[in-house]
Amino acid sequence: MTDYITIGKRLRRIRKEKGYSLYDVERITRGEFKVPTLASYETAKRKISISRISKLVSVYKVSLDSILGEGRVAEAGSKYGKLSSEELRELEEKIRALRKKLEGKK
């Protein structure tokens, strides 16, 4: 079961650690994440999808583990076979590289 309250707290903590306001994130993402939506994710008033979390991971330049918790990422990775933490990190890096490549084509 997904703990959206914990995820929201982690999102807020990471955003603040990076020194970003909600408005900064909206600007950085060119409006993809609006202030009210971000605030509702952080307070768990709205559920956030894994694809949206992945986008914030690339904005904040953190690992998926830091938002979902290592156990959740390993659990998600298990559907692809038993992946080690290192393999999951490598996979995250490849996904980030692909995203950057795709964003460059827009």
Side-chain angles (χ1 to χ4, degrees):
M1 183 175 186
T2 304
D3 181 359
Y4 292 102
I5 294 171
T6 301
I7 290 171
K9 287 179 181 179
R10 288 178 182 154
L11 287 171
R12 175 174 282 166
R13 178 183 46 79
I14 292 166
R15 176 180 56 77
K16 288 185 174 196
E17 285 174 0
K18 296 294 179 175
Y20 296 145
S21 70
L22 292 170
Y23 295 100
D24 291 332
V25 178
E26 181 175 342
R27 181 184 46 78
I28 290 166
T29 62
R30 297 185 182 118
E32 183 175 355
F33 288 91
K34 302 288 187 198
V35 168
T37 302
L38 285 166
S40 63
Y41 290 153
E42 291 182 0
T43 57
K45 291 182 177 157
R46 184 172 179 172
K47 294 178 180 178
I48 184 169
S49 69
I50 192 71
S51 64
R52 300 285 280 171
I53 291 172
S54 294
K55 289 177 183 179
L56 286 173
V57 160
S58 62
V59 169
Y60 297 152
K61 295 177 178 56
V62 296
S63 71
L64 195 53
D65 291 352
S66 64
I67 295 174
L68 295 181
E70 193 167 334
R72 290 301 312 262
V73 175
E75 178 186 311
S78 68
K79 68 181 171 184
Y80 303 107
K82 295 288 180 184
L83 298 177
S84 68
S85 293
E86 182 60 32
E87 289 169 320
L88 288 169
R89 283 186 198 95
E90 288 175 19
L91 186 57
E92 284 180 350
E93 288 301 317
K94 288 178 183 181
I95 290 169
R96 281 191 200 107
L98 283 171
R99 273 205 188 100
K100 283 184 181 179
K101 187 175 180 180
L102 290 172
E103 288 172 359
K105 290 183 179 183
K106 288 183 180 179

